[in-house]
Amino acid sequence: MSLTRFSIAPMVLAGVLILAVVATGAPQETPASSCPGLDGAAGAFAEGRLEEAIRGFETVACDASVAPFARGLALFGLAEVALAKQDTAGALAAWERLEADATLLRFHRDIAKRRISETRRIARGLSARDPETYREPLPLLPEPGRVFYVTPTGDDAANGSRRRPFRSIERAREAVRQLKKSSGGLPSGGVKIAIGAGEYVWERTLQLTAEDSGSAEAPVVYEGPAAVLCGGVRVSGWKPISDAAVRERLDQAVRSRVLEADLKPLGVEDWGDATELRRRPELFVDGKPQTLARWPNEGFVKTGEILGDDNFKLWNTIEGCRDGKFRYVEDRPSRWLDEPDVRLYGYWFWDWFEEYQKVASIDADAKTFTLTPPYSGYGYRKDQRYHALNVFGELDAEGEWYLDRRTQTVYWLPPQGLDVSKADVVLSVFDQPFVALTDVEHVILRGLTLQEGRGDAIHIRGGADCLVADCTIQRFGGDAIVVEGGLHHGIFDCTMRTLGCGGTRVAGGDRTTLTPGRHFVENCTVSNISRLKRTYAPAVHLDGCGNRIAHNLFEDIPSSAMRIEGNDHVIELNHIRNVVRESDDQGGLDMFGNPLYRGVVIRWNRWSDIRGGTQHGAAGVRLDDMISGVAVYGNLFERCGAVHFGGVQIHGGKENLIEGNLFVDCLAGLSFSRWGQSRWLEAIERFLPQAGEPAYASRYPELADLKSHADVNIISRNLFARCESVFLRDGGTGQVALNAIADGTLATQIASGGQIPSDSSLPRSVLFEPIPVEEIGPYESN
């Protein structure tokens, strides 16, 4: 966005002149307040007319006809005025009134409880916030009663002592089992398996079951800060292509530089599939994934005319076909008639969903592809993005490679200047989870490096209180860590990168009874993922009830960083940047499709540089298709929103609370896709029985009003700076109060974690709470 498009526009808010930097054109304005009395009282507070402010806030707080969100904000206002008068007791009294009033928003009551705690800390001479409050307390490991040692040069016939270590981790697991049987349990302090430095070739899953469990007082710890578990084989013996006929199939400019290596001596029996997820081998050179020979070398081309017979129209406007047959526009595919296994990867109908497809035949005269069933589930349409891969003749760019499964030969075009004889070239082979924990309790995997597998790295199913900590998981074709069920499993301080699919998939808790799972993903860095599966493979896919994602850094992802399903999750203090780079109609965090996914709190996160999208857009937080009852609080959105989406996008939901956020340099602060009452009633029909269940009716009393007030969301206490729009398509349906446009200087101070100037009246005019910017993202851990 060019700076020349901006001008300085004077605005008056609550009697204070604000210089708002806005896009050239119509001056930016916040929507009219739903409660002018509340805004008037806040304006009086901002201008120092404290007694007038008290009267105004008290009037709103006591008026039963006023919306609950406004009455709650009025009590916050009373507390802030009391603090301005150095009346701590008065502030506590106002928050206590709010916390005790069950007719007010549950989230506001929770904030009041927090503010009471912080104020009491200040009274004891402490800082208001204790960062440890928002960090998962990890188990304090006792001195182990027994240690078994493993080294790459050990011997499984040894006794596992420091002087006579085992060779395999499996043997150490057996030793722990034998110890438990012979001693009637684990010794005091538990057991540690000390895995020595070096590389361990991984050829079968390390299976841990209930008999491998520890306890809180006697955990079982697998620890190896310099141990590397490898699921690949090293490829050497590179030489120029020996078969002239093979060499002639390549582009003349590179054919003399392409190398080949015979894989038969490696003894690999399963070469997997060229594109099937978790079976697809990859070539890594010095840790960098090479590119399976493709066309075009970057980006996409577009489908031509769709030629199948099973045609359909979506919404009477979008033409599609369920058959996989279409014209290609360019001439290049006509060269591939002798290619044995061409694959296509495309966004075949929607720009938010893609699939690999096998080519059954190519008709060079008609310039058509005919695909092999099963066809894409959504069908095909013209002008959609795709590219070809696994095409030997297109091995023409540095770093491209190709595996001929018929001859067990691998071909590779190394980068110029690379000394191939010194390069570490690894082909991924092992396609099962490296470690699987089933119904295990109190087992810790710590400090391990797992790499170069075709599938997932770690699976945890059932059990309780297991922890994966300080691990590096890289260069996998699937997900890093999958947690299914169980209670209070943790993923802590791990680095997950260069993954074919996502970082973690975590599901826990019972959505029927709304019993929390208490799983957590904390202090992790997840980057460069979704390389092979470009959509719906986020850094965290969270499902269930009552789990937490906190203090992480998620970056460099083609689609969403988080996919959230279920209830009562907390997503806090994460930094999400440079995501949704390729797909469309997504958010840095995405929720979809269930109006009973309630109680989710998204607070104090930083959303940076989320500008993707093609037809619909990209948002920082996207609440899609009926998502309701979610709190988006105290977040920083910077350079978010594209096409039709703002920093927060709400599609058809209601009762969402968007409060206390700062939007800077966004296309819009918020955007809306309103459904209207009739569409809302039709869509929620199937959810009504569950909404009436005792657990839901008790936890979310607002569900008694589920059928009413479609599209009504609460937007309050937000600041907007240098956004092209404040709201997009709001339709005047929201409950809105205490929002304002800030100047760039104030926004920069807040975004940098600096102190808000004491003479700045604008934050007071919206009762804006400081955002704990300095706590966002990973922190130093022991």
Side-chain angles (χ1 to χ4, degrees):
M1 194 177 299
S2 171
L3 292 177
T4 59
R5 293 180 59 195
F6 291 96
S7 62
I8 305 298
M11 297 185 66
V12 176
L13 178 65
V16 181
L17 179 66
I18 306 298
L19 291 179
V21 184
V22 300
T24 302
Q28 299 298 291
E29 296 181 355
T30 57
S33 174
S34 304
C35 185
L38 178 65
D39 285 73
F45 173 49
E47 295 174 355
R49 294 179 278 117
L50 301 187
E51 296 306 317
E52 181 181 340
I54 291 173
R55 291 192 298 273
F57 285 134
E58 192 65 61
T59 298
V60 174
C62 295
D63 187 347
S65 68
V66 171
F69 91 98
R71 288 190 282 121
L73 292 177
L75 288 169
F76 281 125
L78 286 172
E80 294 299 332
V81 174
L83 290 178
K85 297 173 67 176
Q86 299 185 334
D87 178 9
T88 301
L92 289 170
W95 288 321
E96 288 166 354
R97 283 174 60 188
L98 201 166
E99 183 188 9
D101 191 341
T103 68
L104 302 181
L105 299 186
R106 178 162 56 92
F107 185 72
H108 279 169
R109 302 200 304 273
D110 291 343
I111 295 176
K113 183 177 181 179
R114 172 176 59 82
R115 294 298 301 273
I116 290 169
S117 174
E118 291 174 352
T119 302
R120 288 175 175 162
R121 281 180 55 83
I122 294 172
R124 298 197 304 271
L126 304 173
S127 61
R129 288 178 64 92
D130 178 8
E132 292 297 324
T133 301
Y134 306 99
R135 298 178 181 180
E136 183 71 23
L138 298 180
L140 295 175
L141 297 183
E143 188 68 24
R146 184 72 181 272
V147 179
F148 292 109
Y149 294 88
V150 180
T151 69
T153 57
D155 184 349
D156 280 350
N159 62 9
S161 66
R162 186 188 294 272
R163 297 184 64 183
R164 299 183 60 215
F166 297 132
R167 182 181 182 86
S168 72
I169 302 173
E170 273 189 327
R171 179 64 185 89
R173 177 202 62 190
E174 293 305 311
V176 176
R177 290 178 176 178
Q178 293 166 6
L179 175 65
K180 292 176 74 173
K181 289 178 181 178
S182 63
S183 303
L186 293 171
S188 176
V191 176
K192 180 167 79 171
I193 294 89
I195 306 168
E199 186 174 286
Y200 298 80
V201 177
W202 220 250
E203 296 178 329
R204 58 183 173 270
T205 301
L206 176 65
Q207 298 279 359
L208 302 178
T209 61
E211 65 178 315
D212 301 302
S213 295
S215 66
E217 299 77 20
V220 178
V221 180
Y222 290 79
E223 185 173 79
V228 181
L229 317 184
C230 299
V233 293
R234 283 188 168 80
V235 181
S236 58
W238 294 99
K239 62 182 182 179
I241 296 176
S242 55
D243 188 324
V246 172
R247 192 169 56 248
E248 292 297 316
R249 292 172 57 196
L250 296 173
D251 190 286
Q252 186 173 358
V254 300
R255 61 179 58 151
S256 64
R257 293 175 50 207
V258 174
L259 305 179
E260 68 177 13
D262 184 5
L263 299 178
K264 289 188 287 292
L266 298 178
V268 177
E269 297 181 356
D270 181 5
W271 295 111
D273 183 81
T275 57
E276 184 179 341
L277 294 174
R278 297 178 178 84
R279 292 193 60 234
R280 172 180 178 170
E282 291 190 270
L283 192 70
F284 299 96
V285 178
D286 295 332
K288 182 178 180 180
Q290 305 299 282
T291 302
L292 186 59
R294 57 165 283 175
W295 172 84
N297 289 330
E298 294 182 356
F300 299 89
V301 292
K302 291 189 176 182
T303 55
E305 182 183 358
I306 305 300
L307 301 173
D309 298 323
D310 190 0
N311 299 307
F312 65 91
K313 268 192 176 183
L314 192 64
W315 302 320
N316 260 340
T317 57
I318 302 176
E319 294 184 352
C321 182
R322 296 179 181 86
D323 298 345
K325 186 175 183 179
F326 65 92
R327 295 193 195 280
Y328 52 85
V329 177
E330 298 79 5
D331 294 330
R332 194 87 174 191
S334 296
R335 305 182 183 184
W336 304 341
L337 301 185
D338 60 348
E339 293 285 347
D341 192 14
V342 176
R343 307 293 175 96
L344 303 181
Y345 187 66
Y347 293 82
W348 300 113
F349 198 90
W350 301 113
D351 279 358
W352 41 261
F353 184 78
E354 33 57 75
E355 287 178 293
Y356 292 100
Q357 300 276 264
K358 294 182 180 181
V359 174
S361 63
I362 301 172
D363 186 329
D365 295 329
K367 298 179 69 172
T368 61
F369 284 122
T370 300
L371 306 181
T372 301
Y375 299 133
S376 178
Y378 290 103
Y380 306 84
R381 59 173 169 153
K382 187 179 179 182
D383 292 329
Q384 287 298 115
R385 299 175 292 169
Y386 78 98
H387 65 75
L389 67 164
N390 201 44
V391 184
F392 176 75
E394 295 299 336
L395 204 167
D396 59 0
E398 292 185 358
E400 286 193 331
W401 72 289
Y402 179 84
L403 172 60
D404 190 329
R405 289 169 172 78
R406 300 167 300 179
T407 63
Q408 298 185 43
T409 304
V410 63
Y411 301 90
W412 173 46
L413 178 55
Q416 284 189 326
L418 177 71
D419 187 340
V420 174
S421 65
K422 296 180 180 179
D424 186 31
V425 183
V426 177
L427 185 71
S428 61
V429 172
F430 188 60
D431 63 1
Q432 298 300 308
F434 278 35
V435 185
L437 293 79
T438 304
D439 298 327
V440 176
E441 297 185 4
H442 296 285
V443 166
I444 297 173
L445 308 179
R446 182 176 180 184
L448 303 170
T449 294
L450 297 81
Q451 61 189 41
E452 289 139 6
R454 296 182 192 172
D456 302 334
I458 298 171
H459 281 187
I460 302 174
R461 289 187 172 89
D465 295 291
C466 292
L467 179 67
V468 181
D470 304 314
C471 291
T472 296
I473 301 173
Q474 57 190 2
R475 304 196 285 276
F476 276 79
D479 298 310
I481 303 173
V482 178
V483 178
E484 295 182 353
L487 181 68
H488 195 228
H489 296 311
I491 303 167
F492 180 82
D493 204 23
C494 291
T495 298
M496 294 167 265
R497 61 192 174 206
T498 318
L499 304 173
C501 293
T504 66
R505 286 186 283 134
V506 178
D510 189 334
R511 285 201 63 243
T512 301
T513 62
L514 296 177
T515 302
R518 297 174 51 227
H519 298 325
F520 61 92
V521 180
E522 180 165 321
N523 216 44
C524 296
T525 298
V526 185
S527 62
N528 187 25
I529 64 170
S530 304
R531 295 179 303 104
L532 308 179
K533 173 60 180 161
R534 305 288 286 179
T535 63
Y536 303 104
V540 182
H541 184 167
L542 186 63
D543 200 354
C545 179
N547 304 297
R548 183 168 170 268
I549 306 171
H551 284 292
N552 302 287
L553 171 63
F554 303 141
E555 61 181 347
D556 298 330
I557 304 172
S559 192
S560 299
M562 286 178 276
R563 180 80 175 180
I564 306 299
E565 300 183 70
N567 296 69
D568 298 341
H569 303 304
V570 175
I571 293 86
E572 63 183 358
L573 297 162
N574 302 284
H575 191 181
I576 303 92
R577 64 189 182 198
N578 195 25
V579 303
V580 198
R581 298 179 319 191
E582 182 177 291
S583 64
D584 183 45
D585 207 22
Q586 301 288 314
L589 179 150
D590 218 87
M591 295 183 67
F592 169 81
N594 191 327
L596 305 185
Y597 282 175
R598 290 174 176 255
V600 175
V601 175
I602 304 166
R603 65 181 179 185
W604 304 321
N605 303 283
R606 187 167 198 151
W607 312 85
S608 307
D609 300 295
I610 304 175
R611 291 283 207 182
T614 56
Q615 300 178 33
H616 298 90
V621 171
R622 179 169 173 265
L623 307 178
D624 191 21
D625 274 23
M626 297 182 284
I627 293 298
S628 303
V630 171
V632 181
Y633 176 83
N635 296 271
L636 169 59
F637 296 90
E638 51 191 358
R639 299 175 300 280
C640 293
V643 192
H644 301 300
F645 289 178
V648 174
Q649 157 69 7
I650 299 175
H651 190 270
K654 70 169 195 162
E655 297 166 344
N656 296 296
L657 175 67
I658 315 300
E659 181 169 294
N661 305 286
L662 173 63
F663 299 88
V664 185
D665 295 318
C666 295
L667 175 69
L670 290 86
S671 58
F672 303 84
S673 302
R674 291 172 287 113
W675 278 19
Q677 192 68 19
S678 60
R679 181 180 177 185
W680 171 258
L681 289 174
E682 180 181 354
I684 67 170
E685 183 68 29
R686 61 193 175 98
F687 299 101
L688 294 178
Q690 187 177 16
E693 291 292 325
Y696 279 77
S698 173
R699 178 66 170 163
Y700 315 115
E702 67 272 16
L703 287 177
D705 199 31
L706 181 60
K707 293 183 178 181
S708 304
H709 309 300
D711 299 313
V712 177
N713 295 280
I714 302 166
I715 300 98
S716 55
R717 297 205 284 177
N718 300 290
L719 292 176
F720 306 85
R722 297 195 301 262
C723 297
E724 293 189 34
S725 299
V726 175
F727 287 6
L728 285 177
R729 306 179 306 278
D730 69 295
T733 61
Q735 293 183 322
V736 179
L738 302 181
N739 298 287
I741 297 173
D743 66 25
T745 300
L746 176 60
T748 299
Q749 287 172 320
I750 296 173
S752 64
Q755 198 76 12
I756 298 176
S758 57
D759 60 349
S760 177
S761 61
L762 182 63
R764 281 189 172 191
S765 73
V766 296
L767 305 180
F768 191 81
E769 287 194 347
I771 299 172
V773 175
E774 68 283 354
E775 297 179 35
I776 293 175
Y779 55 86
E780 290 294 325
S781 61
N782 297 324

